[in-house]
């Protein structure tokens, strides 16, 4: 039984940065999971932003390549999403997901606005 808690969201101006965290608890094999970052904005479908595999290999949506960087600290059961050069289009609730366990966090709001 794993629980995921996202944090680090907030209000930032265009061009700014935020670092999101996804902390997992209740699992002893966190290091084996592939973690996905999704986001969902009002009126839009949920979209996959980043994939962070167990070995740290990452892939990204075209819309965030070069701006977002995913990473993980297995010792802390935590994954991260460093978001730089933020755009208003990045405004959304960001979720982390462990697909193998159908586990989702509550989400953290990111708002990019002047």
């Amino acid at each position: 039984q794993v629980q995921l808690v996202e944090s680090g969201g907030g209000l930032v101006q265009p061009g700014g940065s935020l670092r999101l965290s996804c902390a997992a608890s209740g699992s002893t094999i966190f290091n084996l999971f592939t973690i996905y970052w999704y986001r969902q904005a009002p009126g839009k479908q949920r979209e996959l932003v980043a994939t962070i595999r167990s070995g740290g290999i990452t892939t990204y949506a075209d819309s965030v390549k070069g701006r977002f960087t995913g990473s993980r600290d297995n010792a802390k059961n935590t994954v991260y999403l460093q978001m730089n050069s933020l755009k208003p289009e990045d405004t959304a609730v960001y979720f982390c997901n462990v697909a193998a366990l159908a586990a989702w966090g509550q989400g953290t709001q990111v708002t990019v606005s002047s």
Side-chain angles (χ1 to χ4, degrees):
Q1 184 68 45
V2 66
Q3 293 183 323
L4 306 174
V5 179
E6 301 93 339
S7 62
L11 175 63
V12 65
Q13 294 188 358
S17 298
L18 286 172
R19 188 193 191 206
L20 306 185
S21 298
C22 173
S25 62
S27 175
T28 61
I29 56 172
F30 175 83
N31 59 302
L32 301 180
F33 298 144
T34 293
I35 310 297
Y36 302 90
W37 281 102
Y38 286 86
R39 67 186 182 187
Q40 188 164 25
K44 296 183 178 180
Q45 287 195 312
R46 185 174 59 207
E47 62 176 329
L48 178 63
V49 174
T51 301
I52 308 168
R53 302 189 182 279
S54 60
I57 297 174
T58 55
T59 57
Y60 305 93
D62 288 342
S63 59
V64 306
K65 284 181 180 177
R67 301 188 298 118
F68 290 11
T69 303
S71 62
R72 65 194 299 156
D73 186 340
N74 288 331
K76 296 182 178 180
N77 285 0
T78 302
V79 298
Y80 304 95
L81 187 66
Q82 178 67 46
M83 306 185 297
N84 300 323
S85 301
L86 283 162
K87 305 175 181 180
E89 307 92 269
D90 297 318
T91 296
V93 178
Y94 285 71
F95 301 88
C96 59
N97 164 246
V98 180
L101 301 176
W104 293 83
Q106 298 271 328
T108 185
Q109 176 71 50
V110 172
T111 302
V112 185
S113 176
S114 298

